[in-house]
């Protein structure tokens, strides 16, 4: 496509380095992501309850460190926080490779979670420092597609390599993940050591103009955080617990078909993301979010049909259709929410803005398995699907509420008569009478 060539040629060198970081690191992450619970349970012999509790430490640690990470980004810059997070990832992955006891595994998974909690606000802030405007929205979309390619390819390679009867194969993939985590550190200390912010200011140490309390007093920030939390609760957060549990226990889909369904999801994201980016350019991001929520509601209806008891073929077809339609919604969500977040943000509080969004994401990821486990554990499959659909409809309402509260520039469209300053700066001007 012509716009892809234009996008690539228009990127600064720093932007191309960021895409290289994404490709390498997600490839390393894909080597282990689908297999950690299997590793803990079948290779290290941990009880299923212990293994599940250990897995939850990643999300809990990530959630706990998100807010401090945003403040550190604003105070000391993105590179310092990212390097600290990557260091934790290297140590955590290396430690997990040799974790023969639950306490060692717990420390390793906490370190990995600390990196995830720090990386989301810091990396999004770094992207915003390198690209602006519509290019930024496209960058977030390409970022998401590359993540799926890396994780998908890594998962295939890992699946072909690891063997529960040969523990050394798991040790190897975790060490490979640690090695992949070293690559971003090298790039951050080398080609990206002089990255500067959009206003031309160095992203080094500086005081932040706005604290979390002041930022959260802004209605657009609260609505966007609520939208992110709900989107994860009815979306991504269901992929590790709710969807596979429903597919197996309610719809009776085979494990091999579930694996194919997840591959379909990844393939659809990779195939659709670039065309979608071209179509949504210049359109209101909130309207794109509404289309996303509508597509997700339709996807949940398809999954509900899979559990209708009409046979294995219908169940499998419903699951595959769910994954394909859901992937379309993902390609709409990923470019828009981070772009709105960073267009609302001021330069010297950008880390905090991204941290609020990351905390909402992590909160949804923690709540989603609990909701799925409660409803499916009580054999309330219909209520589970119904709640997910209601959540999607709530997303539509939230997007409309957000649209009424953000400036046109943050919504992906220009306003006649001049540029739009970030929402926080508008409110400060009204307060001071400027």
């Amino acid at each position: 496509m012509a716009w892809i060539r234009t996008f690539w040629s228009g990127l600064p060198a720093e932007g191309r380095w960021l895409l290289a970081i994404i490709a390498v690191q997600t490839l390393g992450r894909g080597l282990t992501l689908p297999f950690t619970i299997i590793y803990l349970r079948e290779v290290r012999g941990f009880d299923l309850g212990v293994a599940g509790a250990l897995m939850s430490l990643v999300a809990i640690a990530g959630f706990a460190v998100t807010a401090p990470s945003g403040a550190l980004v604003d105070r000391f810059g993105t590179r310092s926080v990212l390097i600290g997070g990557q260091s934790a990832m290297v140590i955590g992955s290396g430690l997990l490779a040799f974790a023969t006891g639950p306490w060692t595994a717990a420390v390793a998974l906490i370190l990995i979670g600390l990196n995830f909690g720090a990386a989301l606000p810091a990396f999004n802030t770094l992207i915003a420092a390198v690209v602006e405007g519509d290019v930024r929205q496209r960058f977030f979309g390409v970022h998401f597609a590359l993540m799926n390619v890396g994780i998908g390819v890594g998962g295939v390679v890992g699946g072909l390599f690891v063997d529960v009867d040969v523990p050394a194969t798991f040790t190897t993939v975790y060490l490979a993940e640690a090695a992949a985590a070293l690559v971003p550190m090298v790039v951050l200390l080398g080609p990206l050591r002089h990255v500067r912010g959009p206003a031309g200011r160095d992203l080094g140490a500086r005081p932040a103009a706005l604290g979390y309390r002041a930022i959260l007093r802004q209605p657009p920030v609260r609505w966007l955080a609520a939208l992110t939390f709900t989107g994860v609760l009815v979306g991504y957060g269901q992929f590790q617990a709710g969807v596979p549990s429903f597919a197996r226990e309610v719809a009776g889909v085979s494990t091999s078909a579930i694996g194919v369904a997840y591959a379909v999801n990844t393939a659809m994201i990779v195939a659709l993301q670039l065309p979608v980016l071209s179509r949504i350019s210049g359109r209101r991001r909130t309207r794109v979010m509404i289309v996303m929520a509508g597509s997700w509601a339709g996807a949940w209806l398809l999954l509900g049909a899979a559990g209708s008891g009409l046979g294995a073929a219908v169940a499998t077809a419903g699951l595959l259709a769910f994954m394909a339609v859901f992937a379309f919604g993902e390609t709409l969500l990923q470019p828009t929410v981070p772009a709105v977040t960073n267009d609302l943000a001021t330069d010297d509080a950008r880390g905090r803005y991204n941290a609020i969004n990351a905390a909402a994401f992590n909160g949804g990821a923690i709540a989603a398995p609990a909701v799925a486990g409660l409803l499916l554990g009580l054999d309330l499959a219909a209520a589970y699907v119904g709640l997910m659909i209601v959540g999607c409809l709530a997303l539509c309402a939230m997007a409309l509420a957000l649209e009424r509260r953000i400036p046109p520039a943050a919504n992906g469209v220009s306003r006649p008569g001049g540029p739009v300053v970030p929402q926080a700066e508008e409110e400060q001007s009204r307060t001071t009478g400027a």
Side-chain angles (χ1 to χ4, degrees):
M1 299 179 194
W3 81 261
I4 299 178
R5 292 192 296 271
T6 303
F7 168 78
W8 181 257
S9 62
L11 279 181
E14 293 86 355
R16 298 176 186 180
W17 278 112
L18 287 180
L19 292 178
I21 287 176
I22 295 163
V24 173
Q25 184 162 15
T26 54
L27 178 64
R29 185 63 188 141
L31 289 172
T32 65
L33 184 62
F35 310 112
T36 299
I37 188 71
I38 297 171
Y39 171 66
L40 296 175
R41 179 75 181 99
E42 298 187 35
V43 177
R44 296 309 182 190
F46 300 162
D47 179 81
L48 184 58
V50 172
L54 288 171
M55 290 293 293
S56 70
L57 291 175
V58 177
I60 293 170
F63 183 81
V65 79
T66 299
S69 296
L72 290 172
V73 166
D74 291 330
R75 180 66 180 172
F76 298 106
T78 56
R79 289 195 311 115
S80 300
V81 175
L82 283 171
I83 289 171
Q86 291 301 128
S87 299
M89 185 70 185
V90 171
I91 296 170
S93 297
L95 193 60
L96 193 58
F98 302 99
T100 56
W103 288 108
T104 305
V107 172
L109 290 166
I110 288 172
L111 287 170
I112 292 172
L114 292 178
N115 174 60
F116 292 160
L120 187 54
F123 200 78
N124 283 354
T125 301
L126 188 60
I127 291 173
V130 171
V131 291
E132 298 180 274
D134 187 57
V135 176
R136 181 183 291 166
Q137 177 173 289
R138 294 189 177 198
F139 194 101
F140 280 119
V142 173
H143 171 200
F144 182 59
L146 270 180
M147 283 180 59
N148 278 275
V149 171
I151 291 174
V153 172
V156 170
V157 173
L160 294 173
F161 181 76
V162 296
D163 185 343
V164 293
D165 295 322
V166 185
T169 59
F170 283 87
T171 299
T172 300
V173 294
Y174 281 107
L175 291 178
E177 181 182 37
L182 287 171
V183 174
M185 297 175 66
V186 173
V187 175
L188 289 166
L189 291 170
L192 296 184
R193 67 185 182 278
H194 297 308
V195 171
R196 295 181 178 273
R201 290 179 294 177
D202 196 331
L203 291 183
R206 61 183 184 276
L210 294 173
Y212 281 115
R213 188 172 299 176
I215 296 171
L216 286 170
R217 280 200 292 264
Q218 300 168 24
V221 173
R222 295 197 300 270
W223 278 106
L224 188 60
L227 189 149
T228 300
F229 175 87
T230 306
V232 176
L233 179 64
V234 303
Y236 302 115
Q238 299 300 330
F239 267 49
Q240 288 189 338
V243 173
S245 296
F246 185 97
R248 279 294 292 159
E249 298 177 23
V250 179
V253 178
S254 68
T255 54
S256 59
I258 292 174
V260 171
Y262 277 81
V264 166
N265 179 261
T266 298
M268 290 296 291
I269 289 171
V270 173
L272 291 175
Q273 185 67 85
L274 298 182
V276 164
L277 285 172
S278 180
R279 293 297 300 272
I280 67 175
S281 177
R283 300 181 185 273
R284 293 181 185 273
R285 291 164 180 163
T286 49
R287 302 297 171 87
V288 174
M289 295 174 191
I290 291 171
V291 175
M292 173 274 297
S295 69
W296 279 6
W300 282 110
L301 284 172
L302 290 168
L303 189 66
S308 60
L310 296 178
V314 172
T316 301
L319 177 62
L320 294 174
F322 166 84
M323 286 295 193
V325 175
F326 199 91
F328 170 68
E330 291 178 83
T331 65
L332 296 171
L333 178 66
Q334 283 299 325
T336 51
V337 170
V340 173
T341 300
N342 282 281
D343 284 347
L344 287 173
T346 57
D347 287 337
D348 46 10
R350 194 174 298 279
R352 286 176 168 86
Y353 278 85
N354 279 296
I356 289 169
N357 189 258
F361 188 100
N362 288 329
I366 293 171
V371 171
L374 175 64
L375 294 177
L376 295 177
L378 294 173
D379 293 327
L380 298 175
Y384 169 70
V385 173
L387 181 61
M388 296 301 107
I389 294 172
V390 169
C392 293
L393 298 178
L395 285 174
C396 295
M398 291 176 187
L400 288 173
L402 179 65
E403 182 175 301
R404 294 193 295 269
R405 292 167 172 83
I406 59 175
N411 206 9
V413 293
S414 60
R415 180 169 65 185
V420 179
V421 297
Q423 179 78 11
E425 294 180 8
E426 283 189 345
E427 293 188 0
Q428 288 176 342
S429 297
R430 287 196 296 269
T431 302
T432 59

